Amino acid sequence: MIQVLFVCLGNICRSPMAEAVFRHQVKQANLESVIKVDSAGTGDWHIGHPPHQGTRDILDLYHIDHHGLRARQVQAADFVNATYIIAMDDSNVRNLAAFAPDPVEGEQRSSIHKLLDFAPNRMIKDVPDPYYTGNFQEVFEMVEESCERLLAYILEKEQQ
């Protein structure tokens, strides 16, 4: 089973949006038995909360299911369980280091990437946080495009 974990700061805007969009794309590709999708935050402020209303509104607009999503914090086990950890920005990548357990010889470790690494034509390399900017539509467009390319990357890399 391939496991993809999307990570942002609070796990209420960007990463749950990416989780829902990517899960939708995985379902459309009939790959639910092959790819598991989750999200988490590096902060603990919103644990147990549903996605931000702006995230829910944009997902509803595009008929993408978000029901049952609840914020959680990254855990050490995520670095072993997830095949791919996809961060929204450089700050998330740096913050992930605080959660990473010491490597164990022979143990599989997650591959860490930034989401916009999969959108090479974009001028920016970090997904802006709509919690502060309110630009949920722009973030959705970045997430949707990047998730499509991420799925293609995973399928090619994992030879599915």
Side-chain angles (χ1 to χ4, degrees):
M1 175 72 71
I2 299 164
Q3 296 188 37
V4 179
L5 176 68
F6 292 97
V7 175
C8 69
L9 183 61
N11 194 215
I12 60 167
C13 292
R14 298 172 292 171
S15 58
M17 182 186 296
E19 176 185 357
V21 167
F22 196 68
R23 184 176 287 139
H24 180 78
Q25 293 173 353
V26 165
K27 183 177 182 178
Q28 297 286 23
N30 200 27
L31 293 169
E32 292 172 296
S33 64
V34 178
I35 300 174
K36 180 181 175 187
V37 187
D38 196 5
S39 66
T42 58
D44 63 358
W45 314 280
H46 304 293
I47 292 173
H49 295 175
H52 185 283
Q53 187 63 51
T55 295
R56 291 184 305 211
D57 289 346
I58 199 78
L59 293 171
D60 287 343
L61 179 66
Y62 290 95
H63 309 288
I64 296 174
D65 184 31
H66 56 80
H67 294 91
L69 295 182
R70 293 283 182 252
R72 71 173 186 88
Q73 191 172 29
V74 173
Q75 302 167 8
D78 290 324
F79 291 85
V80 177
N81 297 333
T83 315
Y84 300 93
I85 296 178
I86 310 297
M88 297 298 126
D89 60 36
D90 283 330
S91 176
N92 302 147
V93 172
R94 286 190 303 275
N95 291 339
L96 280 165
F99 296 93
D102 292 333
V104 175
E105 191 172 329
E107 187 174 67
Q108 176 68 29
R109 295 295 297 239
S110 304
S111 174
I112 299 175
H113 305 269
K114 286 193 329 183
L115 184 61
L116 290 185
D117 289 347
F118 299 96
N121 297 329
R122 292 216 174 250
M123 297 300 291
I124 63 170
K125 296 302 173 191
D126 289 341
V127 178
D129 193 342
Y131 184 84
Y132 301 105
T133 64
N135 60 342
F136 288 91
Q137 179 63 46
E138 177 186 15
V139 169
F140 177 84
E141 292 167 9
M142 289 177 191
V143 166
E144 183 180 46
E145 173 191 3
S146 299
C147 282
E148 286 174 2
R149 292 180 180 189
L150 171 62
L151 182 57
Y153 170 84
I154 290 171
L155 293 176
E156 180 180 319
K157 186 155 179 70
E158 304 292 334
Q159 299 178 350
Q160 295 293 323

